[in-house]
Amino acid sequence: MLKIQLISGSGEIIKEVSSEERVYLGYKGTLDDGSSVKIINSNPGEYLWVKINKCIDKSLVYFKGTEMNYEFPFTEEAKVAYPIGAFEGDRHYFSVERPSKEELIQYRNVALNPSDQKNAMGVYPHALANIETRNESVFFASNAIDGICVTDGHGRWPYQSWGINKQKDAEITIEFGKEVLINKIGLFLRADYPHDSYWTSVKLSLSTGEEMILETTNSPECQYFDIPKSKVEWIKLSNLIKNEDDSEFPALTQVEAWGWLESFK
């Protein structure tokens, strides 16, 4: 059974719908501060397509447990990482759909999750880091897996990125929630030059214990790196070596992990 619950800031269920294969919820009305949407799947350990906002692409999300809670941004600082008006107005739409077998076996970017949030729990992919510049939403680790790949700016959407606040030991981890099979990494380094700097090398660590150095450049486009086909539960980027220039601000716009959802390969 699949269920969508729209929940008010005081914790009351505003509206609820359920079905077996596909669920859609429309709502006419404004959302108060603290509102959220809860997606419930009675069968843990499954992938589902979820759409949590009219302006955000639907995501293929792995439910390790049975629930996904998505808290809507209501402060002005939180909203700047999203399209203008994304959570405003009096018309809202949510959906949950079971993927087809054909969709599950496709070669894809298994790190992609436009619905990830800083404090997400139990649903994957999920990005987390040991530093996020000034704890501002436009520099959260989750921005690095949201599928927005423009690199020639920084700050307000669509230029959100993972920012490291000049921290030399910065690292970011992408958790998949289960074992996936990958063979290629893609990196979009933020390229808002001359404001930005860039990394000349990055260490890629796999949950298997393997490590490798990725030699990177100042390209504004995706830099791809073929790696040995590996079954992993997470990947980590660390040992970020900054280019020797005047800027103090290297950053990551997007990280991709190309491969297969291993259970279905």
Side-chain angles (χ1 to χ4, degrees):
M1 177 67 71
L2 304 177
K3 182 182 294 185
I4 303 175
Q5 293 178 337
L6 186 59
I7 301 173
S8 71
S10 61
E12 298 177 354
I13 298 176
I14 302 171
K15 190 172 182 179
E16 173 180 279
V17 292
S18 61
S19 187
E20 289 294 335
E21 296 296 320
R22 299 187 294 177
V23 186
Y24 307 98
L25 188 153
Y27 179 64
K28 296 183 291 184
T30 57
L31 301 172
D32 63 345
D33 287 4
S35 295
S36 62
V37 63
K38 178 183 288 186
I39 296 171
I40 301 172
N41 177 25
S42 58
N43 298 314
E46 291 185 338
Y47 283 94
L48 295 173
W49 285 110
V50 301
K51 186 171 180 63
I52 44 74
N53 184 266
K54 59 192 175 185
C55 297
I56 299 175
D57 289 343
K58 68 178 184 177
S59 311
L60 186 59
V61 174
Y62 179 69
F63 279 65
K64 196 166 189 175
T66 59
E67 295 185 1
M68 172 182 178
N69 294 288
Y70 192 94
E71 299 179 359
F72 304 138
F74 283 100
T75 67
E76 288 306 311
E77 191 284 320
K79 288 179 181 180
V80 295
Y82 299 92
I84 293 174
F87 296 90
E88 300 173 353
D90 61 356
R91 293 293 188 275
H92 305 278
Y93 173 75
F94 312 91
S95 69
V96 186
E97 302 168 321
R98 295 193 186 279
S100 67
K101 179 66 176 296
E102 290 72 26
E103 289 174 320
L104 290 172
I105 65 175
Q106 289 177 1
Y107 183 70
R108 66 173 66 247
N109 172 18
V110 298
L112 177 64
N113 182 8
S115 299
D116 190 32
Q117 287 192 301
K118 180 180 177 68
N119 298 315
M121 297 180 62
V123 289
Y124 303 88
H126 175 56
L128 64 157
N130 64 343
I131 180 66
E132 295 165 325
T133 301
R134 297 184 298 273
N135 198 36
E136 293 178 7
S137 64
V138 292
F139 300 120
F140 284 171
S142 55
N143 297 328
I145 60 171
D146 64 5
I148 307 296
C149 300
V150 288
T151 60
D152 62 342
H154 72 281
R156 177 183 288 273
W157 186 94
Y159 295 109
Q160 67 277 13
S161 59
W162 173 51
I164 67 169
N165 201 34
K166 300 183 285 186
Q167 186 162 312
K168 292 184 178 180
D169 65 346
E171 59 184 38
I172 184 171
T173 301
I174 312 302
E175 299 178 331
F176 302 109
K178 60 177 289 297
E179 202 170 69
V180 297
L181 182 64
I182 63 173
N183 68 351
K184 183 167 67 174
I185 298 296
L187 299 178
F188 285 88
L189 303 190
R190 204 179 68 196
D192 187 13
Y193 306 127
H195 171 277
D196 287 344
S197 183
Y198 65 95
W199 300 304
T200 58
S201 70
V202 173
K203 183 171 78 172
L204 171 69
S205 302
L206 309 181
S207 60
T208 59
E210 296 178 86
E211 297 179 347
M212 55 203 79
I213 300 299
L214 310 181
E215 303 291 342
T216 51
T217 73
N218 63 348
S219 172
E221 300 180 353
C222 189
Q223 302 179 51
Y224 288 109
F225 302 90
D226 293 324
I227 66 171
K229 191 177 289 187
S230 306
K231 295 180 180 181
V232 298
E233 294 185 4
W234 53 262
I235 62 173
K236 179 188 294 184
L237 302 178
S238 62
N239 286 29
L240 311 171
I241 306 302
K242 194 186 87 67
N243 183 54
E244 295 184 3
D245 55 33
D246 293 334
S247 172
E248 299 180 292
F249 304 110
L252 179 68
T253 295
Q254 203 74 187
V255 54
E256 300 177 339
W258 286 87
W260 303 264
L261 308 176
E262 169 60 13
S263 295
F264 304 95
K265 181 67 174 73

